[in-house]
């Protein structure tokens, strides 16, 4: 035994304190690593803060700005932005800020619900086509058929056929909401199905899947426990893009007059009402247009950040 420092330094033994520090350092989970990568993506973080701010604006704003969006004030028609009306007023004196906040709730709800339908259909068809070879040809030809259909004319035909029956069955607003999200969902699932199918075709031939098959793991368990977690990254990224697509589609349909009724504002409906007054009251177009653009842009940036964070092949670039 010796207490010479040079012997300790060259002995190769790890000091007790350092060993404890090494043993106490737990490896980060996949989600923790993904969050670190996501935070390093400036565009994604800016998009997330912008998207959260828009959600808070439309969710909490009406409590802080308790003006009825349908309240008419004909004495203040086309009033420019001021302290009394920060975003100005419309052709019948409605407060633009109140209209934008109320309409934002509907537009975001349409985007989120349509996104859920899109991901459900796309993931289901992609998993079935990628995992079961017997279904691949049929489901991919069905996907090609939907991709070949002209989306906008198809949307117009479906809405014209089912708008009145659903409005009579569920009420005007609820019926149009159900019709809108369903139509957007069933016309937007095809890219998700192709992406999920391609990833599953590559994953199901890897060693851990073959090992699970060799011990008799049933197909349902293979899909839910081994395959779906490994294709979660493209599904989440597709979900962010689906929100943006649904908001734009709803705005376009409302702009064409096929959306919600005139007394039920959405961002797209506000725009169609403001078109003929663009020169006289440009703020009626500017503010809902800015919110639509910011929402779509922020969601797209979040999708880019999630792709970079969840895909190990491009992580850290």
């Amino acid at each position: 035994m010796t207490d010479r420092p040079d012997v300790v330094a060259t002995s190769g033994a790890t000091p007790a304190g350092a060993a404890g520090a090494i043993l106490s350092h737990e490896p980060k989970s996949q989600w923790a690593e993904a969050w670190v990568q996501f935070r390093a993506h400036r565009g994604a973080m800016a998009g997330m803060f912008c998207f959260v701010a828009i959600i808070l604006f439309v969710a909490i704003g009406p409590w802080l700005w308790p003006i009825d969006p349908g309240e008419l004030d004909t004495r203040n028609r086309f009033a420019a932005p001021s302290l009394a009306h920060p975003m100005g007023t419309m052709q019948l004196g409605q407060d633009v800020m109140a209209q934008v906040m109320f309409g934002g709730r509907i537009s975001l709800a349409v985007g989120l619900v349509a996104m859920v339908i899109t991901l459900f259909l796309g993931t289901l068809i992609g998993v079935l086509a990628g995992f079961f070879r017997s279904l691949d040809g049929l489901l991919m030809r069905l996907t090609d058929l939907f991709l070949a259909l002209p989306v906008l004319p198809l949307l117009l035909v479906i809405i014209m056929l089912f708008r009145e029956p659903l409005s009579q069955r569920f009420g005007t607003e609820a019926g149009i909401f159900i019709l809108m999200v369903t139509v957007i969902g069933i016309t937007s699932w095809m890219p998700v199905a192709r992406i999920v199918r391609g990833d599953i075709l590559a994953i199901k031939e890897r060693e851990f899947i073959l090992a699970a098959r060799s011990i008799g793991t049933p197909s349902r368990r293979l899909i839910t426990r081994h395959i779906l977690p490994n294709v979660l990254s493209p599904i989440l990224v597709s979900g962010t893009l689906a929100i943006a697509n649904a908001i734009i589609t709803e705005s376009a349909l409302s702009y064409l007059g096929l959306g919600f009724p005139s007394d039920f504002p959405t961002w797209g409906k506000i725009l169609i009402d403001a078109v003929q007054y663009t020169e006289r009251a440009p703020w009626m177009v500017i503010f809902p247009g800015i919110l639509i653009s910011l929402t779509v842009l922020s969601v797209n940036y979040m999708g880019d950040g999630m792709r970079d964070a969840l895909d190990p092949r491009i992580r850290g670039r």
Side-chain angles (χ1 to χ4, degrees):
M1 295 292 294
T2 177
D3 55 358
R4 290 171 54 192
D6 55 335
V7 176
V8 175
T10 59
S11 62
T14 302
I22 294 173
L23 293 176
S24 63
H25 178 70
E26 298 181 357
K28 293 182 178 180
S29 66
Q30 179 183 359
W31 292 107
E33 290 285 352
W35 172 243
V36 171
Q37 295 294 328
F38 185 85
R39 286 190 305 174
H41 195 293
R42 295 182 180 179
M45 290 300 295
M48 185 185 71
F49 283 121
C50 182
F51 188 63
V52 171
I54 292 173
I55 291 178
L56 293 177
F57 173 72
V58 302
I60 303 178
W63 296 91
L64 304 177
W65 190 255
I67 295 180
D68 186 356
E71 181 181 351
L72 305 181
D73 185 7
T74 55
R75 293 175 299 178
N76 288 316
R77 297 173 62 244
F78 301 115
S82 61
L83 292 178
H85 302 283
M87 293 185 180
T89 62
M90 303 181 71
Q91 68 273 19
L92 297 178
Q94 307 100 311
D95 185 76
V96 174
M97 179 179 284
Q99 291 259 324
V100 164
M101 288 188 292
F102 183 83
R105 292 181 173 184
I106 309 304
S107 295
L108 290 177
V110 168
L112 292 172
V113 177
M115 178 266 293
V116 172
I117 296 175
T118 298
L119 292 189
F120 174 77
L121 291 177
T123 303
L124 176 63
I125 294 176
V127 167
L128 294 177
F131 190 82
F132 299 101
R133 183 174 299 179
S134 59
L135 298 176
D136 188 18
L138 175 63
L139 292 178
M140 284 301 99
R141 299 299 76 76
L142 176 66
T143 303
D144 293 337
L145 174 63
F146 272 84
L147 285 172
L149 293 175
V151 176
L152 187 57
L154 179 63
L155 291 174
L156 299 180
V157 171
I158 293 176
I159 290 176
M160 293 299 295
L161 289 177
F162 296 99
R163 181 173 182 173
E164 289 301 324
L166 286 176
S167 296
Q168 295 175 2
R169 177 66 177 84
F170 298 100
T172 302
E173 291 82 7
I176 294 178
F177 179 84
I178 294 172
L179 178 61
M180 192 79 68
V181 298
T182 303
V183 166
I184 295 174
I186 64 175
T187 56
S188 305
W189 56 267
M190 296 80 72
V192 180
R194 281 184 170 276
I195 293 172
V196 172
R197 171 187 175 269
D199 283 358
I200 289 179
L201 287 176
I203 291 173
K204 73 175 187 178
E205 301 299 332
R206 295 178 63 178
E207 291 79 3
F208 68 95
I209 297 295
L210 298 177
R213 284 181 182 274
S214 66
I215 61 175
T217 304
S219 298
R220 179 180 59 83
R221 189 173 181 84
L222 272 176
I223 293 172
T224 56
R225 293 296 300 273
H226 300 288
I227 291 181
L228 276 181
N230 285 280
V231 297
L232 192 59
S233 169
I235 292 175
L236 292 177
V237 174
S238 300
T240 60
L241 301 179
I243 295 175
N245 177 68
I247 292 175
I248 291 178
T249 305
E250 184 276 325
S251 300
L253 293 174
S254 297
Y255 186 82
L256 295 174
L258 296 174
F260 292 91
S262 57
D263 58 343
F264 201 75
T266 64
W267 286 341
K269 190 64 179 176
I270 297 172
L271 283 177
I272 188 175
D273 292 340
V275 167
Q276 56 185 322
Y277 307 111
T278 302
E279 295 184 0
R280 184 174 181 180
W283 51 85
M284 293 174 57
V285 177
I286 292 174
F287 290 109
I290 287 176
L291 284 173
I292 292 174
S293 301
L294 286 178
T295 303
V296 173
L297 187 63
S298 61
V299 168
N300 285 336
Y301 272 119
M302 288 169 59
D304 289 342
M306 293 175 65
R307 179 198 61 198
D308 295 349
L310 294 173
D311 192 341
R313 294 170 295 182
I314 60 178
R315 186 180 296 171
R317 285 187 181 179

